[in-house]
Amino acid sequence: MDEVLHAIPKQPDPVVMVGHSLAGLTIPIAASRVRTAMTIYLCAILPVPGLSFDAQHAHIGTGFKPSEPAIGHDDGSASWPERGAIETFFHDCVPDVAQSAARQLRPQFWKITQEVTPLRQWPPVPVAYILCTDDRMVSPDYSRLAARLQLGIDPIELPGGHSPSCPDLACWRKPWSAPLRVNS
């Protein structure tokens, strides 16, 4: 959490926090500690106050099986072979962007999913949840349910995968025309 808070520019204006994927567990905690104008969750998993993510027993999977799955390491981290990462995260990107993105992935530690969230209530800021209908990592069904149960909103649905890349931005259907809600 300290790394996130230190990365936020020191400014008088509130910030907009965007949490993609696993960062959905972090941004509501950060938003409760700094002036925040809005939180936006993109293909994100969400905490439940008082529980670890693992204790939620949430089914986030889509059933997609890459040809090369993630590899677990002795230190508790996991990493993705390039081909499996492209198939899972970057399947809708142009090939050179997908390859470049896959090569930049670092090992991921899952300890955050095992820790009870310190979040006791959702920060009172406007919130949006964006799901991608072709996500192969976080199920759009999970996203719809989590957005409704945890945030009390209907998610904005956009085409694309877990790390969406749309060569023609016209395919993004005015995401901010959807009503937003302030959590209380």
Side-chain angles (χ1 to χ4, degrees):
M1 180 56 58
D2 289 339
E3 294 87 2
V4 173
L5 296 174
H6 289 291
I8 298 169
K10 305 301 180 233
Q11 61 184 24
D13 297 325
V15 296
V16 174
M17 292 195 195
V18 179
H20 174 254
S21 196
L22 195 58
L25 296 176
T26 304
I27 67 166
I29 300 163
S32 68
R33 296 181 184 177
V34 298
R35 287 190 63 213
T36 304
M38 180 177 199
T39 55
I40 301 170
Y41 300 87
L42 174 61
C43 303
I45 60 175
L46 300 178
V48 171
L51 293 177
S52 70
F53 184 77
D54 289 354
Q56 292 180 40
H57 301 288
H59 179 68
I60 66 167
T62 64
F64 176 75
K65 303 276 190 246
S67 63
E68 296 180 25
I71 301 165
H73 304 290
D74 291 339
D75 65 358
S77 69
S79 58
W80 281 88
E82 186 176 309
R83 183 173 171 191
I86 290 170
E87 293 170 355
T88 304
F89 302 113
F90 311 113
H91 62 92
D92 60 337
C93 298
V94 294
D96 56 329
V97 170
Q99 185 178 45
S100 176
R103 288 179 177 169
Q104 293 179 52
L105 291 177
R106 299 181 312 263
Q108 175 69 58
F109 288 87
W110 292 96
K111 185 176 180 182
I112 190 172
T113 66
Q114 301 160 4
E115 298 171 336
V116 173
T117 181
L119 185 69
R120 295 296 166 239
Q121 61 185 17
W122 289 89
V125 299
V127 61
Y129 189 106
I130 301 169
L131 70 82
C132 292
T133 57
D134 297 320
D135 194 336
R136 292 179 174 175
M137 187 67 192
V138 177
S139 162
D141 289 337
Y142 163 81
S143 295
R144 288 180 193 99
L145 184 62
R148 290 176 183 135
L149 290 178
Q150 295 307 313
L151 304 174
I153 61 171
D154 287 324
I156 299 161
E157 298 195 22
L158 299 177
H162 190 67
S163 298
S165 171
C166 187
D168 176 7
L169 292 180
C171 76
W172 289 61
R173 296 167 291 194
K174 295 186 181 182
W176 309 122
S177 64
L180 303 176
R181 181 176 165 260
V182 175
N183 283 333
S184 53

